[in-house]
Amino acid sequence: MADENSPHRRDPIKSSVGNVAAQRRRQSAISVGKERRESLVRAKRFCRVSVSGGGGDDGDISLDHEMVIDEEDSILEAQTSSAVQELQTAVAFQGKGAMQKRVNALRELRRLLSRSEYPPVEAALKAGAIPLLVQCLSFGSPDEQLLEVAWCLTNIAAGKPEETRALSPALPLLIAHIGEKSSLPVAEQCAWALGNVAGEGEELRNILLSQGALLPLARMMLPNKGSTVRTAAWALSNLIKGPEQKAATELIRIEGVLDAIVRHLKKADEELATEVAWVVVYLSALSNVATSMLVKSDVVQLLVERLASSNSLQLLIPVLRSLGNLVAGDSRTTCSLLVPGHEITDSVITVLVKCLKSEHRVLKKEAAWVLSNIAAGSVEHKQSIFSSEALPLLLRLLSSSPFDIRKEVAYALGNICVGPAEGDGRPKLIVEHLVSLVKNGCLSGFVELIRSADTEAARLGLQFIELVLRGMPNGEGPKLVEQEDGIDAMEMYQFHENEDLRNMANGLVDKYFGEDYGLEESSS
Amino acid sequence: MEWNQETLQSLSQCFLNTLSPSPVPRRQAEAFLSSASEQPNYGLAVLRLVAEPTVDDQIRQAAAVNFKNHLRLWWAPSPADTTRILDPEKDQIKSLIVPLMLSSSPRIQSQLSEALAVISKHDFPQSWPNLLPDLVSNLQKASASSDYTSINGILGTANSIFKKFRYQYKTNDLLLDLKYCLDNFAKPLLDIFLKTAQLIDVAAGPGGAAEALRPLFESQRLCCRLFYSLNFQELPEFFEDHMTEWMTEFQKYLTSSYPALESSGPDGLTLVDELRSAVCENITLYMEKNEEEFQGYLNKFATAVWSLLGEVAQSPSRDRLAITAIKFLTTVSTSVHHTLFAGDGVIQQICQTIVIPNVRLREEDEELFEMNYVEFIRRDMEGSDLDTRRRIACELFKGIAANYKAQVTSILSAQIQNLLSSFATNPDANWKDKDCAIYLVVSLATKRAAGGSASATTDLIDVERFFNTVIVPELQSQSIKEFPMLKAGALKFFTMFRNHIPKGVALGLFPDLVRFLSSESNVVHSYAASCIEKLLLVKDEGGRVRYTSADISSVLLPLMNNLFAALRFPESEENQYVMKCIMRVLGVADISQGVAAPSIAGLTSILNEVCKNPKNPVFNHYLFESVAVLVRRASERDPSLISTFEASLFPSLEMILANDVTEFFSYAFQLLAQLVELNRPPIPASYMPVFTILLSPDLWNRSSNVPALVRLLQAFLQKAPHELNREERLSLVLGIFSRLVASPSTEEQGFYVLNTVIESLDYGVIATYMVNIWHALFTRLHKKRTVKFLKSLLIFMSLFLVKHGSVHLVDSMNAVQAGIFIMILEQIWIPSLKLITGSIELKLTAVASTKLLCECPVLLDATAAQRWGKMLDSIVILLSRPEEDRVEEEPEVPDLAENVGYTAAFVSLYNAGKKEEDPLKEVRDPKEFLVASLARLSALSPGKYPQIIAETLDAANQNALFQFCNSYNCPLV
């Protein structure tokens, strides 16, 4: 009999609480979305002012002045082509003053390439700049020349993907020039160019790694201060982005790197700390080795201090994400890291509260995400969040924030209500927390998630509803769910294509709101 | 299956026959196809038939449907010996299907497109790497020549492949697939979308022809659906980078009109509206998930949608667009940008221009009410109205109320008053205003569950006052014909707010409800039945039912009369609401002879009718429940009625069995079992033919029958054990057992049969069969040892032991082969004991094991101390550890046998049900039983057992055992 259509026979509910509880969520390794870092700190950076500080010659002084003039693209392109021609002549020239001639030609090209927001890279490439620039990078060239070449290359690499790729022939020499024998300005400018190349994508990162860029860049990051250190850290963060985890693991194993990270996080100015924090972001996101080394160091403490003391969004974002990644590591790390009752745990929660209160949505979202991972820990962890200032904030965010934040908040609140999974894999309910959250009105927020188009959010909503139905004392759950229009929300899944959601929703409706066949027994 | 002229002929004929109205050739053809489908290359052959242009179109269509279903069943990888579609066939199908689909007629195209979706569900992209590149290159070719038939075919295919991104969970695998699709398809999609947009701009200009626009709008709609799929999981980088290009066109479609197309017949407007709906769904998705990136476009879209709705609200048949557009506004209203609604008078305006016009009844609603009451009720009453504009309009108000509750409430209350006073001034002309008011109140109230005890709430009105002043006059209206839709609305209100209506008031209205059962309107008598049915379920605080048999006794006769009469109205012959009400009333009312006789007569005549052609499973289920509850309750009150019931029901039940009405088999067996159980021995001779049926092995082959057959067999064994022992019946029953137990897919049913026999009969009767029984079990054990089987075997042995004693158990087993008992004990019993689950089963096996431990020489023997200790160890594990620590889940083996050869599923009848019997009622607590038995045993030889325990039991188990001893105060000496 085709009774599948009958409202009385539905598949049994398959998972009850499932993985609301006690699961740490690393941020997805695969993403189809835009990389968000770009909106804050561009992966590729354009160089306008010399790394050696203030530019060394006449041309740069008028730079700002020149910038305002919006020159016609076509004029700029024509000038660029002829500058490359000029360079070609200069390179071919072997006579007296050849070096100066070359430097002059390079400087002219560099000026053209740093003049506008949209440098005439295409024209330069078309005119054949790359082979000439590579030639000028040869060993033994004077610093002044190397600096100009690297600057040109930096700005070419800051262009479109194919323009960045055009740098390929120059990469071995650029890497050679970041070695210890080079002068600092040359090494830094070369590192800058390499950073732009690494920022382009996985393929070029892999080429750089195979050509040995990691070690010299890492060494550049070791000294205590200076723009070189900052540039190197930035380039490194681009270089170890993955998705392969190998480079991250290699980096943390290089002698002195961990110390340098700790040192910079402790003492450096905010600008350098920001770049170093991004290195920590990728180390902790990709490499388990790095994560375990980092948690054993003072890094967590330092991240917390930075979070507490800084108001720079630029810095707070990578610091918060690093902290989140470290907490999202395996549960043992979290436990040893955030011992409940210890000062560090309270201060972590305090800084997270600060971020939840921030105006900036990225900070709110990341803070909620970190809290959800802490809430996935032991019962004591849940209690410390439960009794903190975070709770009312989370409750408020659940009802009033944009979707992505609400979802993270819901994970945190859901995790607070269920204990760690027991032997049978089914997590236990923490009734006290559940009751309090429900009394404070979180149920409508979860019902709202059920109504959303997002399958993950809907599952979370259903799982929480299941907790309420099962766990509220005195069988109060069904009434509460009903009052929040939960039945209505669950009925949206009656014929949903996602089998899991359909079974969960239908199973709950049947189990808690189904027909009562046994009625006549009680009447007689 | 070879592809040749002969195959073509025979398959064609077969598919033609499957469409035949007469059952014999149809069933034959179905059987032929079903067995042909087991041959390799069957799918390929059917696909080739679909491709054959010389074959009649309806045959090709039937073949396309069959092809799709074949793939659905068999494409997914299955265990090696059941694979029906081998890889070479799969490859051929994959290479043929795309071009074939692109070149076939729309109906076949849609079937093949679904088939393609089935394939891609498993194979795409990993095992079908050239599909997407092929589609893209075909798309580019078709685009270059502006061949929109092909373009739309390709887009349609891509659409069905990408749909999975709309509902699956975001896993890394899914994201990898999505990334692959985006890398290959995001740009071509935008290209074709922009190209088509340009063509539309040109063709929509002066002199543009509708015919030129049609395929273009279809194409844009498909592009929008693809946009939806690809954007569902998260906002892809490509789409973020090109958001303006998409949004600009989207906005154009919402704000422009296309008179050439829109005025070219009703489907012209539909085409444009479908595109607009698809756009609305896309912007709703962005609003919900990517509101930050989308906010720059929000204001313009909100304005566009709003003015579009103003236009749409006025005209009929633009539901889909109205719904998607309102949904967009609803999403905005609950988002962080809800302040768009905060302006002065905005909510008031939304109420007047969007909500009220969409909630008001339209002609289509009236038509549906009259022409298709089932669908009307599904939408109006049962929550399938998620996609009606009436409901969605109310959802918008609920959304706004999330942030502006006070305003919404006051505006609506005023609006409701207006509607009611408009009705009062001229009821005949303005009855729809009252309907609108009732609908608003009901829809905006919080949804209530079927049998719950909580109250429906609404802040809009005072429920009791509204009921008395607005609803009661409708219910008491003398004419049941006037304004049937208003009556239906009033009945719905009564049903929805039934908990709020005081008992006295409701009882006063019962005669009116009974009266409405005789309304000619199907909706009205269905709602009246449903209202009565739901009222009888209402419980007061503390779970006591509010309405009892005494409350309905005065209306019972007219009520039953009208219920049966309602089933004689055209279209209501199988009205499930009425039948459910009959079931409920029979479950509550006091059933006298005067009610029972006409009821059973009425029910059997309906039963005989539906047997001819079972159509509505829900109706049929309530029909059988009604019979069962009537039989049970009436016979309890007056046992003499049993023979009346038998006389009425037997012919029907025989007809079901004789005419092979398989849909009703399990119901029939359950009713028979119920009748047998109600009888006092001796069982009337009229049951004996049934017994013969019970012994036909074919019935047992359908696993959906087995639970009901077991139930019937149990009833017979308990009520007529001696009948069983005659005419070799017992050996026939045991023959069924051996058959069932031989295969893992039916072994459970086999044990049901065996356990029933063992439990019901004396040992003297079964002794001679024991050798055969053990033989069958050991053979199976030898051939295939599954955990499920081991558990069932252990339960059977335990049941045997507690019923017939350990001596019989040991001796009968050893009679098969000397010493086999010890072997089974050591290899099966002791190690498997800890796997037992379920409280009855646990008690049974623990007690049986304890008995063995304390009375069986094989264990008590001085040389068997080790074995004794191990047995005790297992018992302690069983009793001391929670189930989940003992039992490892056996990975579930897909049960192929279950899917073949039957379609009916077992549906249990609540009212013919029987509680699970505990075979060991005398033992309360197995732990106590264990320690008490041990204490007695150890008292016989002090010092012996504590030593064995210390030497052989695991430390934790020793500890647990001593805890048991302490808590029951039974020390071991």
Side-chain angles (χ1 to χ4, degrees):
Chain A
M1 180 160 68
D3 217 336
E4 286 81 17
N5 300 324
S6 154
H8 307 288
R9 278 174 44 77
R10 284 177 183 148
D11 301 326
I13 184 160
K14 279 192 177 153
S15 54
S16 55
V17 191
N19 54 1
V20 175
Q23 280 219 355
R24 272 158 238 282
R25 295 166 307 119
R26 286 220 181 191
Q27 290 187 332
S28 186
I30 297 144
S31 169
V32 297
K34 233 182 164 62
E35 196 181 331
R36 292 296 148 190
R37 186 180 175 188
E38 274 176 56
S39 56
L40 299 160
V41 187
R42 283 175 32 189
K44 294 184 196 170
R45 293 173 180 178
F46 182 58
C47 176
R48 280 200 192 139
V49 184
S50 164
V51 293
S52 50
D57 59 30
D58 48 81
D60 294 312
I61 297 164
S62 58
L63 186 83
D64 284 346
H65 174 67
E66 263 182 300
M67 283 299 299
V68 203
I69 305 159
D70 216 352
E71 275 172 293
E72 285 285 328
D73 285 354
S74 52
I75 299 174
L76 201 57
E77 278 165 23
Q79 288 174 336
T80 308
S81 297
S82 66
V84 175
Q85 294 300 321
E86 197 56 40
L87 177 61
Q88 186 157 26
T89 321
V91 166
F93 181 70
Q94 297 292 338
K96 193 168 178 251
M99 199 268 280
Q100 196 52 48
K101 202 171 154 76
R102 269 203 303 276
V103 171
N104 287 342
L106 284 166
R107 182 169 299 141
E108 181 54 27
L109 180 61
R110 180 264 295 172
R111 277 190 196 147
L112 290 164
L113 285 171
S114 1
R115 187 171 287 181
S116 119
E117 186 75 43
Y118 302 99
V121 175
E122 206 183 325
L125 293 179
K126 221 186 238 162
I130 292 290
L132 297 168
L133 292 170
V134 173
Q135 221 174 321
C136 296
L137 266 184
S138 59
F139 290 110
S141 306
D143 279 3
E144 204 184 356
Q145 175 181 330
L146 289 173
L147 202 57
E148 293 293 353
V149 179
W151 192 342
C152 288
L153 287 170
T154 298
N155 286 354
I156 292 173
K160 296 182 193 127
E162 62 276 13
E163 293 164 354
T164 312
R165 271 196 290 275
L167 248 70
S168 296
L171 298 182
L173 283 166
L174 281 172
I175 294 171
H177 287 298
I178 57 174
E180 277 150 9
K181 285 180 189 139
S182 304
S183 74
L184 276 185
V186 169
E188 184 182 354
Q189 193 64 60
C190 289
W192 193 330
L194 290 170
N196 278 341
V197 174
E200 174 49 40
E202 186 185 356
E203 194 191 333
L204 284 171
R205 281 200 273 284
N206 287 340
I207 292 174
L208 289 175
L209 289 168
S210 69
Q211 294 180 355
L214 188 70
L215 185 63
L217 275 179
R219 287 199 179 131
M220 281 175 76
M221 197 183 70
L222 301 184
N224 276 339
K225 54 185 170 192
S227 70
T228 317
V229 181
R230 195 170 63 228
T231 303
W234 165 75
L236 275 173
S237 74
N238 271 349
L239 188 61
I240 63 167
K241 257 185 211 172
E244 286 286 320
Q245 57 84 32
K246 209 171 138 229
T249 304
E250 245 171 72
L251 175 61
I252 197 71
R253 283 184 169 144
I254 292 172
E255 204 186 328
V257 165
L258 182 59
D259 282 348
I261 289 173
V262 171
R263 209 163 359 96
H264 294 321
L265 285 179
K266 193 179 286 178
K267 293 188 179 147
D269 58 42
E270 293 210 327
E271 257 183 292
L272 174 55
T274 302
E275 300 304 347
V276 171
W278 277 110
V279 174
V280 178
V281 165
Y282 293 113
L283 286 172
S284 56
L286 292 165
S287 163
N288 290 330
V289 176
T291 305
S292 66
M293 286 170 73
L294 288 165
V295 293
K296 282 181 202 135
S297 72
D298 290 336
V299 163
V300 173
Q301 179 68 44
L302 293 168
L303 292 171
V304 171
E305 282 164 19
R306 286 285 180 178
L307 278 174
S309 62
S310 173
N311 283 314
S312 151
L313 184 64
Q314 243 72 313
L315 174 62
L316 290 177
I317 287 175
V319 168
L320 181 55
R321 186 171 302 175
S322 297
L323 184 65
N325 283 341
L326 294 176
V327 170
D330 67 284
S331 53
R332 253 191 340 218
T333 344
T334 321
C335 286
S336 61
L337 185 68
L338 303 176
V339 184
H342 281 200
E343 203 190 317
I344 177 82
T345 313
D346 293 339
S347 28
V348 166
I349 294 177
T350 310
V351 293
L352 291 175
V353 164
K354 173 185 165 184
C355 295
L356 282 183
K357 283 180 180 165
S358 136
E359 284 303 302
H360 202 279
R361 70 190 273 162
V362 176
L363 286 184
K364 282 194 229 183
K365 183 178 166 185
E366 300 255 345
W369 168 64
V370 180
L371 278 168
S372 80
N373 280 332
I374 297 175
S378 69
V379 175
E380 290 78 19
H381 286 119
K382 294 167 204 288
Q383 274 158 355
S384 41
I385 299 176
F386 179 75
S387 53
S388 75
E389 209 193 327
L391 199 74
L393 285 169
L394 289 170
L395 284 166
R396 199 166 65 231
L397 289 170
L398 182 68
S399 64
S400 64
S401 54
F403 178 75
D404 49 346
I405 298 177
R406 277 193 283 139
K407 197 161 113 181
E408 292 302 336
V409 166
Y411 270 111
L413 291 173
N415 278 350
I416 289 174
C417 292
V418 279
E422 311 235 307
D424 58 348
R426 252 176 72 117
K428 255 210 177 121
L429 239 149
I430 304 177
V431 178
E432 184 204 343
H433 292 181
L434 180 69
V435 170
S436 160
L437 291 189
V438 171
K439 291 257 149 69
N440 283 298
C442 78
L443 192 53
S444 61
F446 281 98
V447 171
E448 200 52 43
L449 287 183
I450 299 181
R451 293 178 190 277
S452 80
D454 187 273
T455 43
E456 234 182 314
R459 178 172 54 182
L460 193 56
L462 286 171
Q463 287 171 337
F464 192 83
I465 297 299
E466 195 270 342
L467 294 181
V468 171
L469 289 171
R470 174 160 56 95
M472 287 301 282
N474 311 321
E476 223 187 342
K479 202 158 98 188
L480 293 166
V481 170
E482 226 171 71
Q483 275 165 9
E484 291 302 338
D485 245 357
I487 301 170
D488 205 58
M490 288 190 278
E491 280 181 347
M492 289 170 53
Y493 289 86
Q494 207 169 342
F495 305 107
H496 198 268
E497 286 143 306
N498 184 308
E499 192 191 355
D500 188 42
L501 291 176
R502 188 176 65 234
N503 289 343
M504 264 164 85
N506 291 344
L508 288 175
V509 171
D510 273 1
K511 184 165 176 193
Y512 293 98
F513 305 99
E515 299 252 14
D516 198 348
Y517 272 107
L519 194 85
E520 50 272 24
E521 302 300 334
S522 54
S523 69
S524 53
Chain B
M1 184 172 276
E2 284 269 342
W3 179 245
N4 51 36
Q5 203 52 38
E6 199 186 328
T7 313
L8 177 70
Q9 283 300 328
S10 65
L11 279 180
S12 298
Q13 190 56 48
C14 250
F15 283 117
L16 188 61
N17 288 350
T18 58
L19 304 171
S20 160
S22 59
V24 177
R26 192 178 65 230
R27 283 192 190 166
Q28 270 174 358
E30 281 162 2
F32 174 84
L33 289 174
S34 154
S35 74
S37 74
E38 288 170 28
Q39 295 177 43
N41 292 329
Y42 169 81
L44 194 56
V46 177
L47 185 62
R48 289 206 159 116
L49 173 65
V50 175
E52 202 55 61
T54 55
V55 176
D56 182 60
D57 219 38
Q58 63 166 346
I59 294 176
R60 291 166 62 199
Q61 266 173 42
V65 173
N66 181 276
F67 174 74
K68 175 196 71 186
N69 290 335
H70 181 69
L71 260 52
R72 194 164 274 166
L73 274 176
W74 300 108
W75 191 275
S78 50
D81 53 333
T82 57
T83 303
R84 290 205 184 167
I85 309 177
L86 301 169
D87 285 345
E89 185 184 353
K90 285 188 173 181
D91 289 341
Q92 289 203 54
I93 288 176
K94 281 194 273 195
S95 67
L96 287 174
I97 192 166
V98 175
L100 178 55
M101 184 201 65
L102 291 179
S103 64
S104 44
S105 65
R107 280 197 183 155
I108 291 177
Q109 193 176 62
S110 74
Q111 293 299 327
L112 292 181
S113 175
E114 276 185 56
L116 203 145
V118 172
I119 302 176
S120 28
K121 193 174 166 202
H122 302 285
D123 288 19
F124 179 80
Q126 273 84 6
S127 317
W128 203 355
N130 53 348
L131 176 64
L132 200 52
D134 277 359
L135 288 177
V136 169
S137 74
N138 275 319
L139 180 65
Q140 276 152 353
K141 247 181 272 163
S143 167
S145 57
S146 292
D147 167 7
Y148 270 85
T149 315
S150 297
I151 290 173
N152 291 349
I154 294 161
L155 293 176
T157 306
N159 189 29
S160 54
I161 302 172
F162 295 169
K163 267 183 191 160
K164 68 172 177 180
F165 299 123
R166 292 187 207 165
Y167 57 85
Q168 288 190 6
Y169 288 135
K170 191 192 279 183
T171 59
N172 277 351
D173 285 345
L174 188 78
L175 285 177
L176 278 175
D177 288 357
L178 176 57
K179 202 166 158 38
Y180 170 82
C181 294
L182 285 165
D183 289 347
N184 282 280
F185 207 78
K187 183 157 187 315
L189 179 66
L190 178 61
D191 291 345
I192 188 72
F193 181 71
L194 292 177
K195 177 195 159 97
T196 312
Q198 223 169 24
L199 291 177
I200 289 180
D201 289 347
V202 173
E211 280 324 300
L213 284 166
R214 272 169 205 277
L216 301 177
F217 271 83
E218 171 61 9
S219 187
Q220 292 305 69
R221 185 189 68 83
L222 286 166
C223 285
C224 283
R225 299 309 289 153
L226 284 158
F227 177 101
Y228 189 78
S229 296
L230 293 175
N231 280 276
F232 192 89
Q233 295 289 339
E234 51 187 81
L235 176 59
E237 181 163 9
F238 184 86
F239 284 89
E240 184 172 349
D241 290 345
H242 296 89
M243 202 182 281
T244 304
E245 282 140 287
W246 284 101
M247 294 304 146
T248 308
E249 299 306 318
F250 284 175
Q251 210 190 320
K252 202 189 289 171
Y253 298 132
L254 294 183
T255 50
S256 312
S257 63
Y258 300 88
L261 185 52
E262 288 176 19
S263 58
S264 70
D267 68 317
L269 180 61
T270 307
L271 262 178
V272 184
D273 276 358
E274 278 175 347
L275 172 57
R276 291 180 180 136
S277 306
V279 166
C280 285
E281 287 185 85
N282 287 343
I283 57 175
T284 304
L285 179 72
Y286 268 36
M287 188 59 222
E288 193 170 349
K289 292 183 139 178
N290 313 311
E291 135 279 322
E292 192 179 18
E293 294 81 2
F294 180 69
Q295 60 181 328
Y297 309 91
L298 173 61
N299 276 323
K300 280 185 177 169
F301 274 114
T303 317
V305 168
W306 190 324
S307 50
L308 186 62
L309 270 172
E311 205 181 294
V312 172
Q314 307 306 322
S315 62
S317 73
R318 299 179 76 180
D319 282 13
R320 183 87 202 115
L321 177 57
I323 289 162
T324 49
I326 296 175
K327 273 186 181 164
F328 172 71
L329 292 183
T330 309
T331 306
V332 177
S333 77
T334 55
S335 77
V336 286
H337 298 293
H338 59 77
T339 42
L340 277 178
F341 296 88
D344 259 359
V346 173
I347 299 177
Q348 176 74 31
Q349 216 184 331
I350 287 179
C351 182
Q352 266 157 3
T353 59
I354 299 177
V355 178
I356 301 290
N358 279 298
V359 169
R360 279 183 66 89
L361 281 176
R362 292 149 193 279
E363 256 173 55
E364 299 101 279
D365 300 318
E366 291 179 73
E367 260 169 43
L368 195 66
F369 183 88
E370 277 169 30
M371 310 300 289
N372 188 350
Y373 81 97
V374 176
E375 184 56 29
F376 182 90
I377 296 175
R378 270 168 49 87
R379 290 189 192 173
D380 189 46
M381 193 76 157
E382 296 183 345
S384 299
D385 60 344
L386 274 176
D387 277 327
T388 67
R389 56 203 285 178
R390 296 192 96 182
R391 166 74 182 278
I392 293 301
C394 290
E395 288 299 310
L396 172 59
F397 245 28
K398 279 192 189 176
I400 301 174
N403 291 298
Y404 306 95
K405 182 137 192 160
Q407 279 156 276
V408 168
T409 307
S410 79
I411 287 171
L412 259 181
S413 307
Q415 200 58 245
I416 286 168
Q417 285 315 315
N418 286 346
L419 290 164
L420 290 175
S421 27
S422 147
F423 170 77
T425 55
N426 186 352
D428 282 348
N430 299 337
W431 65 270
K432 285 186 186 174
D433 288 341
K434 183 167 178 178
D435 173 274
C436 186
I438 297 176
Y439 189 91
L440 283 171
V441 172
V442 171
S443 303
L444 291 169
T446 301
K447 177 103 178 187
R448 296 215 52 259
S453 56
S455 314
T457 47
T458 172
D459 301 325
L460 289 174
I461 45 140
D462 171 346
V463 173
E464 250 190 274
R465 233 188 87 219
F466 191 86
F467 186 73
N468 289 330
T469 56
V470 179
I471 302 299
V472 169
E474 288 302 328
L475 296 176
Q476 289 180 335
S477 146
Q478 283 316 300
S479 161
I480 58 170
K481 279 191 172 164
E482 229 175 34
F483 309 128
M485 293 190 88
L486 265 186
K487 303 285 183 294
L491 288 165
K492 185 170 83 165
F493 187 96
F494 193 2
T495 312
M496 284 286 289
F497 292 97
R498 58 190 177 276
N499 280 353
H500 278 273
I501 313 301
K503 182 170 173 177
V505 178
L507 279 180
L509 291 165
F510 254 88
D512 292 309
L513 294 176
V514 172
R515 204 160 48 94
F516 280 114
L517 285 173
S518 52
S519 162
E520 276 175 29
S521 158
N522 300 84
V523 177
V524 173
H525 62 241
S526 302
Y527 277 11
S530 190
C531 185
I532 295 169
E533 193 262 323
K534 294 280 190 293
L535 278 170
L536 293 179
L537 280 172
V538 173
K539 286 179 187 164
D540 284 321
E541 290 296 320
R544 284 171 51 90
V545 286
R546 189 182 287 177
Y547 303 95
T548 62
S549 56
D551 296 320
I552 56 169
S553 62
S554 61
V555 291
L556 186 56
L557 276 177
L559 171 58
M560 290 309 291
N561 255 336
N562 282 6
L563 282 168
F564 279 108
L567 292 172
R568 290 192 286 272
F569 283 116
E571 307 285 314
S572 270
E573 295 88 349
E574 298 190 11
N575 185 315
Q576 66 196 51
Y577 307 97
V578 174
M579 187 48 81
K580 195 175 183 187
C581 185
I582 291 178
M583 173 192 80
R584 190 72 65 216
V585 173
L586 289 173
V588 173
D590 205 10
I591 301 181
S592 62
Q593 281 264 11
V595 178
S599 298
I600 194 69
L603 291 172
T604 37
S605 93
I606 295 165
L607 179 55
N608 294 341
E609 202 51 43
V610 294
C611 280
K612 291 178 192 157
N613 184 11
K615 280 183 300 212
N616 180 348
V618 181
F619 175 83
N620 296 335
H621 181 78
Y622 291 132
L623 171 62
F624 280 100
E625 286 284 8
S626 300
V627 174
V629 73
L630 173 64
V631 168
R632 181 167 60 78
R633 297 188 73 239
S635 321
E636 271 168 14
R637 199 186 128 123
D638 179 1
S640 71
L641 280 171
I642 297 172
S643 54
T644 319
F645 291 139
E646 285 168 353
S648 311
L649 286 171
F650 267 16
S652 312
L653 298 178
E654 270 163 21
M655 185 168 77
I656 290 171
L657 297 173
N659 294 356
D660 208 26
V661 189
T662 50
E663 289 91 336
F664 290 165
F665 275 11
S666 68
Y667 288 129
F669 299 139
Q670 289 178 82
L671 284 182
L672 281 168
Q674 190 190 24
L675 288 169
V676 171
E677 276 163 7
L678 288 168
N679 265 286
R680 294 204 184 108
I683 295 295
S686 49
Y687 282 94
M688 286 309 119
V690 178
F691 206 103
T692 323
I693 295 169
L694 190 55
L695 297 177
S696 94
D698 277 351
L699 284 180
W700 291 87
N701 270 348
R702 296 197 184 124
S703 59
S704 61
N705 288 340
V706 172
L709 284 169
V710 166
R711 175 109 166 63
L712 180 55
L713 180 63
Q714 283 172 337
F716 269 119
L717 286 171
Q718 280 155 8
K719 291 285 175 173
H722 302 295
E723 301 301 332
L724 185 68
N725 204 14
R726 275 187 227 144
E727 298 169 24
E728 291 296 301
R729 285 184 188 128
L730 185 54
S731 68
L732 287 170
V733 170
L734 291 169
I736 290 169
F737 145 74
S738 331
R739 257 184 82 151
L740 292 171
V741 91
S743 147
S745 62
T746 51
E747 64 187 22
E748 229 169 339
Q749 285 90 349
F751 276 106
Y752 275 127
V753 175
L754 183 61
N755 291 344
T756 309
V757 169
I758 292 297
E759 212 184 337
S760 322
L761 299 180
D762 291 337
Y763 190 69
V765 181
I766 49 175
T768 49
Y769 298 100
M770 280 319 296
V771 172
N772 287 335
I773 292 174
W774 290 122
H775 193 77
L777 290 172
F778 296 156
T779 310
R780 170 60 215 281
L781 186 64
H782 184 70
K783 272 195 190 143
K784 200 166 168 97
R785 182 186 290 206
T786 61
V787 173
K788 203 166 84 184
F789 180 79
L790 293 181
K791 290 198 290 191
S792 301
L793 179 61
L794 189 48
I795 289 167
F796 164 69
M797 293 189 294
S798 301
L799 187 67
F800 187 111
L801 187 149
V802 301
K803 287 286 162 188
H804 306 297
S806 59
V807 177
H808 284 319
L809 177 71
V810 177
D811 291 353
S812 67
M813 281 167 86
N814 284 338
V816 179
Q817 186 188 317
I820 199 165
F821 178 75
I822 292 187
M823 225 170 81
I824 294 285
L825 186 69
E826 289 188 333
Q827 291 178 11
I828 310 289
W829 194 308
I830 294 174
S832 306
L833 189 58
K834 62 174 197 294
L835 304 175
I836 297 296
T837 52
S839 62
I840 292 179
E841 289 83 354
L842 181 142
K843 185 165 105 177
L844 173 65
T845 51
V847 168
S849 305
T850 306
K851 287 193 167 185
L852 267 185
L853 194 69
C854 298
E855 60 187 47
C856 182
V858 174
L859 283 159
L860 293 172
D861 192 87
T863 59
Q866 187 78 12
R867 192 183 297 146
W868 189 94
K870 278 189 187 158
M871 182 68 158
L872 180 58
D873 198 54
S874 284
I875 301 174
V876 174
I877 292 178
L878 178 68
L879 291 174
S880 64
R881 307 223 181 133
E883 212 166 84
E884 51 273 19
D885 291 356
R886 298 185 269 117
V887 182
E888 275 170 45
E889 278 300 320
E890 192 181 16
E892 222 156 292
V893 190
D895 225 345
L896 289 160
E898 292 239 58
N899 294 323
V900 188
Y902 82 97
T903 49
F906 172 69
V907 185
S908 171
L909 281 175
Y910 173 81
N911 283 300
K914 180 176 173 245
K915 293 203 183 78
E916 208 175 347
E917 290 266 339
D918 180 355
L920 272 172
K921 290 196 193 69
E922 65 278 14
V923 178
R924 205 172 44 87
D925 179 349
K927 287 180 198 154
E928 188 180 7
F929 184 81
L930 172 69
V931 287
S933 306
L934 281 178
R936 274 196 303 277
L937 181 68
S938 69
L940 298 176
S941 20
K944 174 179 172 189
Y945 293 102
Q947 193 196 341
I948 302 181
I949 290 168
E951 280 167 10
T952 48
L953 261 67
D954 177 81
N957 296 337
Q958 288 189 33
N959 203 12
L961 178 63
F962 290 125
Q963 274 181 12
F964 291 167
C965 290
N966 284 340
S967 52
Y968 294 101
N969 201 17
C970 292
L972 304 184
V973 290

